[in-house]
Amino acid sequence: MQNTLQHTAFNVEKVRADFPILKVHVNNKPLVYFDNGATAQKPTQVIDAIAKYYYEENSNIHRGVHTLSQKATTHYELARTTVQKHLNAADVNEIIFTRGTTESINLVAHCFGKLFIKAGDEIILSEMEHHSNILPWQVLCEERGAVLKVIPVTENGELNLEEYKKLLSDKTKLIAVTHVSNTLGVVNDVKEIIAAAKQKNIPVLLDGAQAIPHMVVDVQELDCDFYCFSGHKIYAPTGIGVLYAKAKWVEKFEPYQTGGGTIKTVTFEKTVYVDGPLKFEAGTPNIEGAIGLAAALNYLNEIGLDTIAAYENELVHYATEKLKQLPGVKIYGDVKDKAAVISFNVNNAHPFDVGTLLDKQGVAVRTGHHCNQPLMQCFNIPGTVRASFAFYNTTHEIDVFISALEKAIKMLL
Amino acid sequence: MSIAEIEQEIIEEFEMFVDDWELKYEHLIELGKSLPMINPVYKTDEYIIKGCQSKVWLHSEAVDGKIVYTADSDAIITKGMVALMIRVLSNQAPDDILNANMGFIDVIGLKEHLSPTRANGLISMIKQMKLDALALQGKI
């Protein structure tokens, strides 16, 4: 089976050498890291960029006249341009740095809610949303007397788009859905979702946390109003994330938090805020995070996201086929169009038991509800075992995982 | 047997599994399977100890001056560990339960399961067993 991947013009051993952590041992076994959906490992290129910033450039940005401050400011703003290009956003001012997807969604819920949500209005989500894309809207709805409407998930784990279209009404003020399911890996037909929303002039927010590491995302082609993602899932540091917001929203929204860096003038009577993304980046931002994120994006683009997607697609299909050969394995969200994520259960075994026995054999997977309790309720299960792959994973690691799983199944029988 | 004696017995029982995770976990799974089931009437939300992932149901009662525990879990490895906790603490006097430090868990190499990040509810279970012992102490 090893030969099946040889046609991919991609040297996995070469990229593995870029990720120092892949050399560590866990429970005396070489680490097999299949928890990339939770957070991805960092290449030397990213670690070095952060170190270089602290060794050579550390200073506060946007304020100093001295050389170091100007250097740091340039690199922070260059990072914004790198993100703009990566997403093909129309303008660099549409890129807001946040702490991650969660903060990006909270920012929109706060700012959009304040201006546009009133009693009786409706916000549409889906049954497969991560809790981060449920809670901010739930809080907003409770505050304003608005109503959450939920797109149901089919048995295959896909969004029921017919039901979605029925939910759209004059009361709908916003649609917030995930681009890729964090639990199932299912890639949603967001183009169709956006097209239906646009007919009624309803803005759409996409939670891109699980999509961004696996595919090319073009926000202009998608025509979404907001796109959110976290750096740490795309090989960048934790604590940095992005909110893409169309220029008209950046202009209309008032600051989410206030403080240094957001203002033009302050008197005790009135404050005038700056225009553009800095309005939303109060306080000293995560400078090294932004620089690390840019390094990660540059690294990925050098390999090519299409190449990465093709290789990961082969990995996920290889693993799916192997899993299906094991008796008692049920895969959730077994559809054609999916990112490098497989969620499954074995017979009646609790995912916690399976995950514990895999960990003992050096295989890191995620178990539990994956911050996705409504979806678990929908499938009537306590959780799943989730293996999520990155482009540094190999078919050999999948073989190790499968034999570790076989042993776990035998022990739990 | 006193709590200390039972702990020592378990430590000796697990000595043969040192450096063999497979035998150790097979033993835990066996212990889980052999755990006397909790009376189903107590397998309700009222008796649940919620971990992030696996659930534990615990029932405590005072019998002849001692605390008797029965329990169950939806995950078999958790259930194996629950069986160990019950073996050590059940049928003991409340004071002895409150003073037990459960040091055997570390000695037999299962300390990782006491970390809150394992999220299997074991820490909450021990805490609940002690709280129940304290509450029942007044009724003895």
Side-chain angles (χ1 to χ4, degrees):
Chain A
M1 285 300 278
Q2 282 284 36
N3 295 336
T4 54
L5 300 192
Q6 279 187 359
H7 65 272
T8 306
F10 173 70
N11 185 344
V12 68
E13 288 310 320
K14 187 170 169 288
V15 300
R16 284 182 72 81
D18 291 332
F19 292 82
I21 206 169
L22 297 178
K23 295 183 190 77
V24 306
H25 281 60
V26 169
N27 291 322
N28 300 319
K29 313 231 170 27
L31 167 67
V32 173
Y33 187 77
F34 286 172
D35 195 18
N36 296 286
T39 199
Q41 302 302 346
K42 320 304 174 199
T44 311
Q45 288 82 344
V46 169
I47 299 167
D48 285 352
I50 299 164
K52 185 176 157 56
Y53 167 73
Y54 280 118
Y55 276 118
E56 298 172 14
E57 293 170 10
N58 177 49
S59 53
N60 213 331
I61 58 168
H62 293 139
R63 328 215 205 295
V65 293
H66 59 84
T67 306
L68 269 194
S69 172
Q70 287 176 3
K71 231 180 189 178
T73 305
T74 304
H75 283 155
Y76 182 77
E77 290 306 326
L78 255 180
R80 200 187 303 279
T81 309
T82 305
V83 174
Q84 178 214 345
K85 285 183 182 152
H86 190 80
L87 295 177
N88 191 32
D91 193 301
V92 70
N93 288 322
E94 294 176 323
I95 307 299
I96 299 161
F97 283 126
T98 63
R99 285 188 291 136
T101 309
T102 298
E103 188 176 41
S104 299
I105 297 170
N106 273 281
L107 194 159
V108 178
H110 178 92
C111 297
F112 187 89
K114 195 173 170 189
L115 293 176
F116 304 110
I117 299 294
K118 53 184 195 311
D121 285 347
E122 293 176 358
I123 295 168
I124 297 180
L125 313 177
S126 89
E127 209 168 22
M128 66 162 72
E129 297 313 313
H130 188 284
H131 296 164
S132 301
N133 197 28
I134 300 175
L135 273 51
W137 308 112
Q138 203 168 44
V139 169
L140 175 65
C141 286
E142 280 167 9
E143 273 173 14
R144 304 257 155 177
V147 182
L148 281 187
K149 293 280 173 182
V150 182
I151 310 168
V153 169
T154 66
E155 254 174 54
N156 294 338
E158 292 175 298
L159 290 184
N160 185 332
L161 294 186
E162 290 314 306
E163 289 301 315
Y164 158 66
K165 284 168 194 165
K166 287 183 203 158
L167 291 177
L168 290 168
S169 78
D170 293 340
K171 291 181 189 164
T172 313
K173 288 294 178 295
L174 186 98
I175 292 143
V177 289
T178 191
H179 193 169
V180 168
S181 159
N182 70 307
T183 300
L184 308 174
V186 171
V187 181
N188 290 325
D189 189 350
V190 290
K191 277 190 187 165
E192 195 178 332
I193 291 172
I194 294 166
K198 291 292 152 185
Q199 283 181 3
K200 291 183 178 286
N201 212 15
I202 304 165
V204 178
L205 174 143
L206 294 180
D207 171 353
Q210 295 292 337
I212 201 89
H214 303 297
M215 60 187 72
V216 175
V217 172
D218 182 329
V219 289
Q220 290 192 76
E221 195 198 328
L222 286 171
D223 199 21
C224 55
D225 292 81
F226 307 100
Y227 199 93
C228 312
F229 72 89
S230 298
H232 72 96
K233 291 191 201 289
I234 189 166
Y235 315 99
T238 51
I240 186 78
V242 168
L243 168 64
Y244 157 80
K246 270 188 183 168
K248 64 171 175 182
W249 302 115
V250 173
E251 210 173 290
K252 281 180 189 161
F253 283 1
E254 291 163 17
Y256 163 57
Q257 294 176 329
T258 52
T262 63
I263 53 95
K264 274 182 186 160
T265 57
V266 177
T267 65
F268 281 109
E269 288 71 39
K270 185 165 175 63
T271 293
V272 180
Y273 293 98
V274 291
D275 301 321
L278 294 182
K279 184 165 63 172
F280 306 102
E281 296 173 12
T284 298
N286 184 350
I287 306 168
E288 84 276 17
I291 289 170
L293 174 59
L297 295 177
N298 288 334
Y299 175 77
L300 288 177
N301 288 322
E302 225 167 81
I303 299 169
L305 267 169
D306 284 331
T307 306
I308 287 171
Y311 177 71
E312 288 180 344
N313 197 32
E314 292 184 36
L315 283 181
V316 82
H317 281 100
Y318 182 82
T320 303
E321 287 315 307
K322 290 250 165 180
L323 274 174
K324 281 182 178 170
Q325 287 165 24
L326 299 183
V329 170
K330 177 173 169 50
I331 297 175
Y332 299 92
D334 185 17
V335 299
K336 204 170 141 271
D337 203 6
K338 67 187 286 182
V341 174
I342 306 178
S343 236
F344 66 94
N345 274 327
V346 184
N347 299 315
N348 293 322
H350 196 287
F352 170 80
D353 290 327
V354 178
T356 301
L357 297 179
L358 288 175
D359 172 58
K360 286 284 147 200
Q361 300 172 78
V363 179
V365 293
R366 176 87 184 263
T367 65
H369 54 63
H370 316 294
C371 295
N372 223 178
Q373 287 183 7
L375 187 66
M376 297 297 109
Q377 286 151 17
C378 160
F379 288 131
N380 197 23
I381 47 175
T384 68
V385 182
R386 183 187 72 177
S388 50
F389 310 107
F391 61 90
Y392 44 64
N393 290 130
T394 65
T395 48
H396 170 69
E397 288 181 314
I398 291 171
D399 293 340
V400 171
F401 155 66
I402 293 291
S403 56
L405 184 60
E406 279 177 318
K407 183 175 265 184
I409 293 172
K410 218 173 92 199
M411 288 175 73
L412 290 167
L413 268 183
Chain B
M1 280 170 95
S2 71
I3 289 180
E5 284 165 347
I6 301 170
E7 287 198 38
Q8 191 52 38
E9 187 185 78
I10 294 172
I11 289 168
E12 282 162 22
E13 187 179 307
F14 272 76
E15 259 169 13
M16 62 179 99
F17 310 133
V18 171
D19 299 330
D20 193 332
W21 73 270
E22 208 177 324
L23 282 179
K24 189 193 290 178
Y25 277 80
E26 269 173 1
H27 187 60
L28 269 181
I29 290 166
E30 282 311 310
L31 287 174
K33 285 177 183 165
S34 67
L35 181 71
M37 279 296 211
I38 193 170
N39 186 332
V41 298
Y42 300 126
K43 230 173 138 176
T44 59
D45 279 355
E46 199 185 331
Y47 293 91
I48 213 163
I49 299 167
K50 270 191 181 153
C52 180
Q53 299 197 7
S54 54
K55 294 175 189 164
V56 172
W57 294 268
L58 174 72
H59 178 252
S60 319
E61 59 184 329
V63 179
D64 298 334
K66 294 183 170 173
I67 310 297
V68 175
Y69 298 104
T70 50
D72 198 1
S73 172
D74 58 349
I76 193 73
I77 293 173
T78 307
K79 205 167 155 182
M81 285 180 290
V82 165
L84 287 175
M85 303 309 136
I86 287 189
R87 199 163 130 196
V88 172
L89 295 183
S90 195
N91 274 310
Q92 299 290 344
D95 269 346
D96 296 337
I97 294 168
L98 291 169
N99 291 327
N101 70 7
M102 311 299 269
F104 76 99
I105 298 170
D106 192 4
V107 181
I108 64 175
L110 291 175
K111 196 185 176 186
E112 68 204 50
H113 291 285
L114 287 182
S115 139
T117 54
R118 300 297 292 198
N120 58 11
L122 203 64
I123 294 184
S124 317
M125 182 189 176
I126 296 171
K127 199 174 156 193
Q128 193 60 49
M129 289 173 99
K130 292 196 171 197
L131 282 173
D132 287 358
L134 192 63
L136 289 168
Q137 192 175 30
K139 295 179 185 167
I140 290 171

